Amino acid sequence: MNLEFTPEEVAFREEVRAFIEENHPKHLEGMGNREDMSPEDMTAWHKILGKKGWSAPAWPVEYGGTGWTATQRYIWSEENARVGTFMPLPFGVSMVGPVIYTFGNDEQKQRHLPGILSGDVWWCQGYSEPGAGSDLASLKTTAVRDGDHYVINGQKTWTTLAQHADWGFFLCRTDPDAAKPQEGISFILIDMKTPGVEVKPIKLIDGGYEVNETWLTDVRVPVENLVGQENMGWTYAKFLLAHERSGIAGVARSKRGVEKLREIAGSETLDGKPLMSDFDFARKVSQLEIDLAALEITELRTLAGEQAGKGPGPESSILKIKGTEIQQRLTELTLEAVGSYGTPMYGSIADASSNQYPIGPDYAQHSAATYFNMRKTSIYGGSNEIQRNIITKMILGL
Ligand SMILES: Cc1cc2nc3c(=O)[nH]c(=O)nc-3n(C[C@H](O)[C@H](O)[C@H](O)COP(=O)(O)OP(=O)(O)OC[C@H]3O[C@@H](n4cnc5c(N)ncnc54)[C@H](O)[C@@H]3O)c2cc1C
């Protein structure tokens, strides 16, 4: 594998760097914390990319992808990470979009793909239920056929950002008598404004409002919203999860995070000296960088495989585990570096009406909230323990 960029790739990097510099909204640079962002902020860059035709680089060109090579896509994510852009949310572009263009019919493609590309339609993912997370196939939400409609009843949970969603993709049980639980599930698209859909917030420890309970009571959904075949939803759900996991590694963002951590640890002091000159702290930062470099090579190898026509396999689980462990260690070290300046009491949840004002440097303000928020990464997209089970089965054949 050749890790040197060709002259064409260097020219491509210049082109995307210039585009980002000219077009990325300046007030959003470096904003990584959702609790601060309005829905408009979260979709601003997506909409700009949609107009340019760059919102879904990995899609096939016939459906609106860019046709970039895997290396060009790698350069693209590096360049975005450099300025801390808020990339398109995964639910449309990385999750339901590929399911629709792979398994959906022409009408579904024409109806849904343009809104996903432009960023005008917000999607959410209705997989997990209170009793069905890791054991997703035990889900209980039912879809019962009634003429031209399904009538859907059940409860989903942890539905990320469903409070802003226009549409959701849901896994529902259509055959309660199937021999195996996986065989009776269907993949159904639901307009979130349909009567009977109710979204209720779950408050998180970081103070943000990011996830919800979604209740479905006698929700009538036209049968044309079924994707693919009835009772085949498990196949589409697994296809989607492999795509979801590859994106969770976040290598480019972590590299930017480590640079920032080095800057912070150069400003903060311990016993009157820069924290970065403390042997123990420097050792932890170096170990993180070594692990990140190893992950980057693994990701590049996976991308090279994709370029050669190999779909995401167990590699996506490996990238998910290592990528999220690194993200968590990064936030731990950042919080360790800023100490009490990073705690909500002093910083990020400061509220003028309660006479609490942020103190300490700007870079510290969100460290505690981010630290807490990033605990999620080893749980969502299939927990890291479950990824280890997948690796065991796929690689060791156990
Ligand atoms: C912030 C956040 C956002 C999310 N967003 C969404 C969303 O938008 N849509 C959606 O559908 N879901 C979403 N999820 C749900 C997520 O996919 C589940 O939380 C996850 O699959 C784990 O399921 P669970 O929470 O029910 O935990 P459980 O399945 O109850 O697991 C509890 C613990 O037991 C371990 N465990 C369970 N089974 C095994 C096993 N067989 N072997 C080894 N260990 C095991 C798990 O690893 C975990 O540590 C989100 C979750 C979070 C935290």
Side-chain angles (χ1 to χ4, degrees), residues 16 67 70 101 118 145 187 191 201 213 228 238 308 334 364 373 385-386:
V16 298
Y101 68 63
S118 67
R145 188 77 184 256
F187 191 102
D191 180 339
E213 293 175 359
K238 282 197 303 185
T334 306
N373 190 280
E385 290 79 17
I386 294 299

Side-chain angles (χ1 to χ4, degrees), residues 28 31-42 86 164:
L28 295 178
M31 281 257 265
N33 284 305
R34 273 185 204 161
E35 72 267 23
D36 276 330
M37 296 179 85
S38 65
E40 293 72 31
D41 285 345
M42 283 190 239
F86 191 88
H164 307 304

